[in-house]
Amino acid sequence: MQVLEDLEAKGLAELAQATDEALLRLWHGNWLGRTGHVPAALKRVAEIPPQERKAYGQTANRVKETLTGAYEKALEREREAVLDRELQAPPLDPTLPGRNAPRGGLHPSTQTLRRILRVFGDLGYQAYRSREVEDDETNFGLLNMPPHHPARDMWDTFHTTTPGLLLRTHTSPGQIHVMRERAPAPIRVVLPGMCHRYEQITARSEIMFHQVEGLCVGEGITLADLKGTLEVFIRRMFGDSRQMRIRSSYFPFTEPSIEVDMDCMLCGGAGCAVCKHSGWVEILGAGMVHPTVLRNGGYDPARFSGFAFGMGPERITMLLSGIDDIRYFWGNDLRFLGQF
Ligand code: PHE
């Protein structure tokens, strides 16, 4: 009995030393856990002479209850103390405004693409998505560039490991897909999408970029229609006072071919670094669809004519926002992207 009394006193004394929750749990393991002192004392009942067993058992159980109760109280007290300390710590102000979740935005190229598509949408054009992986024949051959045609050098090409399959170098092959789908109905479509060219990456040229192709096919379409359409586009896109200039050019799939310039909106034509001190900036390439291309698309060039144009939304965004390096577009620098 004395041993049990001593055990109880010692247990309570040690419990009083446990000053945090971890120490309390450690104490619990030592005293009340499966191999702790109290279960061991309870087990010793077997060694006690039979006439004393009952009294021993009762006392041992009382010790167990006392220690268990004391432990639970100590644990409770410790938790309240922790809570008290937390409440006394520098106050939490639940009325403080929350932190704003950072908001994403549309990529500048997407914003420009959408503006371009809206202008042409207002002119009655539909958007047509063409494939980004093309075959050689559609990217070049059907656009009037048979194998070994020197004009193929205008588009340095990424080829896939499948012979004859490549990443389109421009959106013009989409002209063939649309024409073959719609012939002989009239067409007014814009074809937006990503293009790739195997080029040196510089401030002015990237290996991937968007283009927006335009194609209008019908009866009696002339170069004057092309000019009028582009004039409307340029004024809607860049402002009513913009001047437009047409230069003759060469593309195998248009005849005649033109390049279209606009007076530099940064210097107003006075000359600056962006316009290379010429007062003019190149906006797009265009021309009347070549009879061979019309025929490849399923249209009889004796009856139908059409115009096509192609422009680069990144270049246009650079002009609109005064960006001097095309590499910003795929650099994924949020300091750049966040400005749009
Ligand atoms: N596909 C030409 C290019 O990538 C642009 C173009 C499109 C020219 C349509 C004329 C007509 O440079």
Side-chain angles (χ1 to χ4, degrees), residues 116-117 119-121 123 125-126 170-175 187-192 211-217 225-231 233-234 251 253-254 256-260 283-289 306-312 316:
I116 295 170
L117 295 188
V119 173
F120 285 105
L123 292 172
Y125 283 70
Q126 293 177 304
H170 51 175
T171 42
S172 298
Q175 292 184 27
I187 294 173
R188 253 185 301 179
V189 292
V190 275
L191 305 102
Q211 274 194 348
V212 177
E213 187 90 5
L215 176 68
C216 173
V217 178
D225 297 312
L226 171 59
K227 193 181 164 216
T229 303
L230 293 179
E231 228 161 42
F233 167 70
I234 285 175
F251 300 103
F253 35 90
T254 47
S257 301
I258 60 173
E259 269 170 302
V260 177
I283 294 285
L284 49 83
M288 300 307 290
V289 182
F307 62 75
F309 54 85
M311 65 183 95
I316 288 175

Side-chain angles (χ1 to χ4, degrees), residues 71-138:
Y71 168 75
E72 275 162 9
K73 240 187 237 127
L75 195 61
E76 179 70 18
R77 223 181 298 120
E78 172 58 20
R79 285 186 177 155
E80 268 166 23
V82 168
L83 194 62
D84 269 349
R85 278 201 296 280
E86 276 172 9
L87 288 173
Q88 259 140 51
L92 173 77
D93 182 353
T95 68
L96 278 176
R99 284 196 194 99
N100 287 332
R103 202 149 58 104
L106 290 176
H107 191 279
S109 294
T110 306
Q111 294 184 31
T112 304
L113 265 168
R114 289 190 177 183
R115 282 188 59 191
I116 295 170
L117 295 188
R118 174 157 317 140
V119 173
F120 285 105
D122 288 350
L123 292 172
Y125 283 70
Q126 293 177 304
Y128 184 103
R129 293 232 170 242
S130 184
R131 62 199 68 172
E132 284 177 31
V133 178
E134 261 303 352
D135 50 80
D136 184 277
E137 177 70 354
T138 318

Side-chain angles (χ1 to χ4, degrees), residues 278-299:
S278 69
W280 295 92
V281 286
E282 188 194 318
I283 294 285
L284 49 83
M288 300 307 290
V289 182
H290 196 286
T292 301
V293 177
L294 280 174
R295 212 175 289 114
N296 289 339
Y299 287 83

